[in-house]
Amino acid sequence: MSWHEEVEGIRARREIARAMGGPERVARQHDRGRLTIRERIDGLVDEGSFTEIGQIAGAATYRDGTLTSFVPDPYVAGLAKLNGRDVVVAGEDFTVRGGSGSGPGERNKRDVAFAMAREYRVPVVQLLDGAGASIASIESMGRSYLPNSKDWSDPLKLLGEVPMIGGIMGAVAGGIAAYALLTHWTCMVRGAELFAAGPAIVKRAIGQDVTKQELGGTDVHVRRSGVADNEAADEKDCFAQIATFLSYLPQSVWELPPYVETGDRADRREEELLTIIPHESRRGYDMRHLVNLVVDEGSFFEVKPYFGKCVITALARLNGHVVGVVANNPMFQAGAVDAAGADKTTHFMELCDTFRIPLIHFVDVPGFMIGPKAEATGTLRAGMRTLWLAHQITVPSIAVHVRRCYGMAGVATSTPANLGLRLGWPSGEWGSLPIEGGVETAYRRLIAEAPDPDRARAEIEARLKLMKSVFPVAEAFGVEDLIDPRDTRPLLIRYLEAAIPRLAHDLGPKPRYGVRP
């Protein structure tokens, strides 16, 4: 006696599952210019490394004990390797019920995938393409259900434990859209869409006619809302960006970020750093180029480049060690921080603190953005959130003050929770507010009553010019060191390599206090 017949039953069901929704629906997916979930997994992970769970889960019908039909579960998940590292990879099969799940049940594959990530302490990569529970799937349950916060407990806990990465690959709506947001980083493929509810429901609910792209395309969510972090030209580009982003993160909060030998010299001194900052403080310069002159060659990976453009956030390496870079962008709003830039900074700093990635600030900030739009968008509240978090992060933090550092926006570039070293360049301008604006405010009456107001203003500014010099600040030890810009890279590496070993004694989930303002 053998189990050959039963094993054949497993094989037959797996063959049906691998066919997904069938040739016609697979062809329709390809006609949209989109891959199937199995093609996506194969394109992302190391060849032959995917070990699927629940491949034969689905809806089966029988007649006289014989299988007559089988529809696979529209969710594919399992364990794989990505550049040699274990990851949980999962996603919706759009060719089966449009990727729509069946609503909450006893136990589903998504629950098991999250539990596996938590148990094994490995990252989760979700390739998202589908909607939440549909009316058809609810009908198949034979009942509705009361939404339950417990259904979201696992992904919420995982945000404090392992890297959560989302690829927005197709039309993502409802509950699946929520999973896209319960991530540390998302990459959205150009032509994909994400929304709480699609155009048909929007028209019915609020009477507005919109296309899917107008409602939730990359122009909306990469450039305007900031819901998605990075944009991919196509699915292959998305896979490459996912692999690159993950290369900077540890497997979990119980490990340090991976060290990589980059071949770049630790003592490299770039002459261009001596001339990159203009003497005229109103002139801009290329901050991205400045940062690239300091970090390891080829290691700069920008996060959220099209949103909150007053601030540049990026992952990079210094002598092979992962660092998070926050840099003001003088080419956008002169570097003044608006609500979008503050929100972007806060999220990125929290990501770095969670995964023990040291922070390097390249500071050139004239303050928070001012004016009616800034007030209406809540710039001050968003800025205070950044300050709130800056007072809690415990990873090594070093601020390189390349030019301006004014007001509360300047305060948020360092942290009192640890040493928070500040290195100043000779091009620095520091204070509560710029002298020009301060003269207008403090000496308004004196200037207005002078016979020649313009001359009076110029004389006051000239008298206060010494206040713009970095030397009195450095002589009063108001900055930890005033340095030759060419020494920035060697000094950052020296301080970081002294600080990083203690991070190994501070692993695990991060506690937070209070309510984010």
Side-chain angles (χ1 to χ4, degrees), residues 266-286:
D267 62 353
R268 175 165 57 83
R269 299 172 80 249
E270 294 288 349
E271 288 296 318
E272 192 178 349
L273 292 173
L274 199 57
T275 58
I276 197 167
I277 306 296
H279 273 275
E280 171 52 60
S281 63
R282 291 181 178 272
R283 284 181 55 201
Y285 57 92
D286 188 344

Side-chain angles (χ1 to χ4, degrees), residues 118 121 160-162 250-256 356 504 507-509:
R118 196 168 193 204
R121 294 181 176 177
E161 298 178 356
V162 302
Q251 289 292 85
S252 72
V253 296
W254 289 275
E255 299 180 20
L256 291 178
R356 275 52 176 201
L507 299 176

Side-chain angles (χ1 to χ4, degrees), residues 362-378:
F362 290 87
V363 184
D364 185 0
V365 60
F368 289 126
M369 193 64 187
I370 60 174
K373 183 179 178 182
E375 300 300 340
T377 54

Side-chain angles (χ1 to χ4, degrees), residues 482-495:
L482 196 60
I483 68 171
D484 181 333
R486 294 168 294 186
D487 291 331
T488 303
R489 173 179 168 83
L491 281 171
L492 287 177
I493 290 170
R494 176 67 184 93
Y495 288 127

